[in-house]
Amino acid sequence: MISPTPLEQLLEVAAEKRTITLGVPASVSDVDQRFPLTPEGAAMLVSRGIDVRIESKAGRGIHYPDEAYLKAGAHVVSRAETLLCDIVLHLPPVSANDARCIRRGALVLTLFHPTAQDRTALRVLLERHVIALALDLISDDEGHYPFADILNEIDGRAAMAIASSLLADSLHGKGILLGGVAGVVPSELTVIGAGLAGIAAAKSAIGLGAIVRMFDTDVYKLRRAVRELGPGVIVSAMHPRAVVSALRTADVVVASPLQVPHIITQEVMLEMKKGVVTFCLGDNPQPVFPAMRCVDLAHERPSGDIVSEGRQVCYVNATGAVPRTAAMALSNTLVSLFSDIMMCGGTFNNALKMRRGMQGAAYLFSGHVVNQRIARVAGTRYIDINMLLQFS
């Protein structure tokens, strides 16, 4: 009887694959207190093989407890542990103390905030060869800016929701509707700037029945606004007399960024209606109303005292008043961003080489400043990132 002879069997040996860790510390900055990740967003990232680590109690500002993130598959850890991850997601600029805790070669995702950058923190990040990307500068293949665009849209819509509430306040406001009813003239909205934020505000106001006038220095933007908004919007170039006339009769004024900044003087402000509700939109709002006191809606809610000041108040950071909506929108966009990174082999250098839209968003790369505005803040030399990527 012939006994069976054991034979070797070839088995596939898979190389050990390292999991990417994403740390999301709570925002403790006065610059930006928005938290960018919901439990649903965390679950989608976990399903893509990313180890998500959330600082304990970081989701309180958007009304999510730690238990919600734990159920989503994320880990709830200390702030120090989130800062030691491969990727650190922190919307405001990183402080010097936090920068010292970030591991060498990590990727830091923030919003741009060039005027709020700390020189000491930047130099610490440079010493640690950290790669830093501004989310709002990331563009896609069609030239759109997903993060900046969604924040601008929220800013415009939130501004109209807040304005409608303030106008309807019978005690401290005018006690009027933003839109009219039969036999009553509707309120008037003047929009300076036909960007996404201005269009979003105008769309909400038109939907409520308000009269909307929009001004911009770019005629092509005005044409796009008419296509999106229809005949319900009155558009005009920035003719001084036309702008002043619209400001005199406006119940709500919304100023969004222009290519050439437009400043409303104090003399013009004195001609505006008493109790007019005014907003400056955008993550870096231009000083359209320099004589007005700014009220950051992320830190301060409209009260009777503020509303009664009327024309002396300009509201900024309207998205700060709806942080949960902002977190949901940012989470959706983050999932797409991380999918792109994973498709590029899961390495930051590959993603930067293969995605030109990410290259333009980088401001620190491997010990060098690759953004001209950040170079001025850091007091150092600017280097083109393409030169560095060729040798990385």
Side-chain angles (χ1 to χ4, degrees):
M1 182 177 179
I2 300 174
S3 60
T5 304
L7 298 175
E8 294 181 356
Q9 182 179 2
L10 297 178
L11 297 175
E12 183 180 359
V13 179
E16 184 179 352
K17 195 171 182 180
R18 183 172 176 274
T19 302
I20 294 177
T21 57
L22 168 66
V24 193
S27 177
V28 293
S29 169
D30 290 336
V31 176
D32 197 323
Q33 291 191 331
R34 288 171 293 193
F35 189 70
L37 193 63
T38 62
E40 293 83 359
M44 286 190 282
L45 293 176
V46 170
S47 69
R48 286 161 171 76
I50 297 171
D51 183 356
V52 180
R53 301 179 185 182
I54 308 286
E55 182 182 351
S56 179
K57 301 180 180 178
R60 286 186 303 179
I62 53 174
H63 305 290
Y64 284 116
D66 289 347
E67 291 75 14
Y69 290 97
L70 290 170
K71 288 180 181 178
H75 301 281
V76 176
V77 298
S78 66
R79 186 176 188 84
E81 289 177 271
T82 64
L83 295 171
L84 288 172
C85 290
D86 302 317
I87 305 174
V88 176
L89 174 60
H90 190 252
L91 296 186
V94 177
S95 68
N97 288 336
D98 284 347
R100 296 185 183 97
C101 299
I102 293 174
R103 72 170 185 81
R104 185 179 179 86
L107 173 66
V108 174
L109 300 173
T110 70
L111 293 178
F112 194 36
H113 295 304
T115 58
Q117 294 282 352
D118 180 76
R119 177 175 290 194
T120 302
L122 288 171
R123 292 189 173 177
V124 172
L125 293 174
L126 289 169
E127 291 169 4
R128 303 181 80 82
H129 282 232
V130 165
I131 301 172
L133 263 66
L135 292 171
D136 47 336
L137 298 185
I138 294 175
S139 61
D140 60 19
D141 294 337
E142 296 180 355
H144 303 134
Y145 292 82
F147 289 92
D149 290 349
I150 193 63
L151 289 174
N152 282 330
E153 184 174 358
I154 295 170
D155 225 17
R157 290 191 175 274
M160 286 302 97
I162 296 164
S164 180
S165 175
L166 292 176
L167 287 176
D169 186 335
S170 61
L171 182 60
H172 302 292
K174 293 183 175 182
I176 61 174
L177 291 173
L178 184 60
V181 294
V184 180
V185 176
S187 299
E188 294 186 24
L189 166 67
T190 294
V191 181
I192 297 174
L196 278 176
I199 289 175
K203 188 175 292 185
S204 293
I206 290 171
L208 291 170
I211 298 170
V212 178
R213 294 182 174 87
M214 179 175 285
F215 299 86
D216 202 294
T217 55
D218 189 332
V219 175
Y220 291 96
K221 284 188 176 180
L222 292 173
R223 285 177 180 161
R224 184 187 68 179
V226 172
R227 285 198 300 269
E228 287 202 32
L229 300 171
V233 62
I234 304 164
V235 300
S236 171
M238 293 289 294
H239 295 298
R241 288 185 180 179
V243 173
V244 172
S245 177
L247 289 173
R248 283 197 193 107
T249 59
D251 299 289
V252 181
V253 177
V254 166
S256 59
L258 292 169
Q259 290 181 345
V260 179
H262 185 83
I263 295 176
I264 306 299
T265 64
Q266 189 167 11
E267 289 76 13
V268 174
M269 285 168 43
L270 292 173
E271 296 183 40
M272 294 166 65
K273 284 183 178 180
K274 183 178 180 180
V276 61
V277 182
T278 307
F279 292 86
C280 280
L281 305 184
D283 265 354
N284 297 297
Q286 296 169 347
V288 179
F289 303 93
M292 285 189 183
R293 181 168 77 85
C294 284
V295 174
D296 189 333
L297 291 169
H299 308 293
E300 191 174 358
R301 290 292 178 263
S303 66
D305 293 338
I306 293 175
V307 175
S308 64
E309 292 181 19
R311 58 192 174 214
Q312 281 75 39
V313 171
C314 179
Y315 296 106
V316 298
N317 192 13
T319 56
V322 288
R324 186 155 167 161
T325 296
M328 291 176 178
L330 287 170
S331 292
N332 295 336
T333 316
L334 283 166
V335 170
S336 299
L337 172 64
F338 280 98
S339 295
D340 278 352
I341 293 175
M342 300 300 284
M343 288 175 61
C344 296
T347 66
F348 316 141
N349 282 12
N350 282 350
L352 284 170
K353 288 177 181 178
M354 298 172 66
R355 297 286 188 267
R356 293 192 62 84
M358 290 189 193
Q359 293 177 23
Y363 59 91
L364 301 180
F365 183 80
S366 298
H368 302 280
V369 179
V370 292
N371 179 281
Q372 292 182 348
R373 293 183 68 180
I374 299 299
R376 288 195 290 270
V377 175
T380 187
R381 190 167 55 120
Y382 154 78
I383 296 178
D384 190 331
I385 190 173
N386 291 301
M387 296 177 59
L388 300 173
L389 288 172
Q390 290 178 0
F391 301 102
S392 63

